[in-house]
Amino acid sequence: MKLRKVTVAAATTLVLALTAAGCGSDGGGTSSGASSSAGKKITVGIKFDQPGIGLKTPDGKYTGFDVDVATYVAKQLGHNPGDIVWKESKSADRETLLQRGDVDFIAASYSITPAREQKVDFAGPYLLAHQDVLIRADDNSITKPADLNSKKLCSVTGSTSAQNVKTKLAPNAQLQEYGGYSECLTGLENKVIDALTTDDSILAGYAAQEQFKGKFKLGGFKMSNENYGIGVPEGSELKAKINAALEKMVSDGSWDAAVKKNFGPANYQNEPAPKIGVIVS
């Protein structure tokens, strides 16, 4: 396991931001400077179809770990929950949304990668997940990554997960890319595909849904390390402020509470909160 650290300049910026965040604030509120943003709208990108991570429910509510993280961060930036405009951010659209200025930041199971860092900036990471597969509960033919060879493997367009399997683990897997994970799940249930691959945190959320309990199981393969970061436009001053908010979320116990709330029902064995600026490769 390798760790990639932020530069000295970035670390200095983070320290300054943390110092600023600590001045003029009470135990659970925002700094006096950030409070001036109250009432001003902020647009945040999330997933709409990932139970436990980012989900828009039929009654128009938004739930999931990323939603809770984004809401906490927005509060530290001076925005009340009612100030947040949630925008769907599919995997293939995230860089474009940030580059066009359609969103202020994105918290959407957004893994930090060198290729993406060439296009946008990342705060965090705020969660370390691992790539895994979801298969039907009665399927005993897939017990290791190599067993995915010749199997119909599904992931979403723009995701790094399927390509990771194709290039490193099972080059003969029959890759099928859909627009959303819910489409992959339907294919898996109907036996149109054999396995769905993405991060274990996302898969656990699907498997824990009431209508799917007992139908699927996680393979238990830790095929990669996925460092979830919050994407911001390149050069945005929000990066340091968001890092300060994430540090506070961990230190005041809100991070642990959000993990338990969103992943606890699925018995998801999460990693401890990662250190800001340290990427596990």
Side-chain angles (χ1 to χ4, degrees):
M1 182 179 292
K2 299 180 180 178
L3 303 181
R4 175 159 58 90
K5 294 187 177 181
V6 292
T7 63
V8 173
T12 302
T13 301
L14 175 58
V15 170
L16 291 174
L18 287 171
T19 302
C23 297
S25 61
D26 55 29
T30 59
S31 67
S32 56
S35 63
S36 63
S37 298
K40 183 179 179 181
K41 296 296 184 183
I42 184 170
T43 304
V44 179
I46 58 169
K47 292 293 181 66
F48 278 14
D49 65 344
Q50 292 182 352
I53 298 290
L55 180 70
K56 182 178 181 180
T57 62
D59 59 358
K61 295 180 180 179
Y62 300 92
T63 65
F65 183 71
D66 282 352
V67 174
D68 289 345
V69 169
T71 300
Y72 186 98
V73 167
K75 180 180 178 182
Q76 297 305 306
L77 296 176
H79 300 276
N80 297 320
D83 300 333
I84 302 173
V85 178
W86 301 106
K87 187 174 183 64
E88 184 175 19
S89 300
K90 294 184 178 180
S91 295
D93 300 333
R94 291 175 296 201
E95 285 83 36
T96 301
L97 289 171
L98 289 167
Q99 291 169 339
R100 288 194 316 219
D102 294 341
V103 293
D104 292 290
F105 66 83
I106 290 179
S109 55
Y110 202 1
S111 297
I112 303 172
T113 68
R116 289 171 178 165
E117 287 179 305
Q118 297 299 312
K119 301 176 182 179
V120 300
D121 286 345
F122 286 97
Y126 63 91
L127 182 72
L128 175 60
H130 303 286
Q131 186 182 343
D132 203 350
V133 295
L134 191 69
I135 56 180
R136 289 182 291 278
D138 60 355
D139 187 351
N140 297 315
S141 66
I142 301 175
T143 60
K144 58 185 181 297
D147 292 336
L148 295 168
N149 281 306
S150 300
K151 297 288 188 179
K152 294 178 181 178
L153 176 68
C154 188
S155 194
V156 301
T157 305
S159 170
T160 58
S161 299
Q163 292 301 329
N164 183 52
V165 172
K166 284 285 291 182
T167 57
K168 300 177 182 179
L169 302 168
N172 294 321
Q174 299 175 34
L175 176 59
Q176 299 187 24
E177 294 181 294
Y178 291 176
Y181 291 112
S182 56
E183 297 173 46
C184 288
L185 195 68
T186 299
L188 181 61
E189 185 177 20
N190 296 334
K191 299 186 178 182
V192 175
I193 62 171
D194 300 305
L196 160 58
T197 185
T198 187
D199 305 341
D200 52 8
S201 56
I202 299 171
L203 296 175
Y206 282 122
Q209 287 186 287
E210 189 64 36
Q211 67 269 36
F212 296 133
K213 285 184 178 178
K215 292 185 178 181
F216 305 117
K217 61 183 178 182
L218 288 167
F221 315 143
K222 290 187 176 182
M223 298 186 287
S224 70
N225 295 315
E226 304 297 333
N227 300 267
Y228 286 5
I230 293 181
V232 297
E234 240 184 338
S236 173
E237 63 179 15
L238 282 181
K239 177 179 177 178
K241 295 178 180 179
I242 293 173
N243 276 335
L246 293 173
E247 289 276 16
K248 184 175 181 181
M249 187 177 187
V250 172
S251 65
D252 70 12
S254 298
W255 188 91
D256 284 326
V259 168
K260 183 177 180 180
K261 169 187 170 185
N262 293 289
F263 299 134
N267 295 317
Y268 172 61
Q269 301 300 311
N270 65 284
E271 300 279 4
K275 299 295 183 181
I276 298 299
V278 178
I279 309 300
V280 180
S281 60

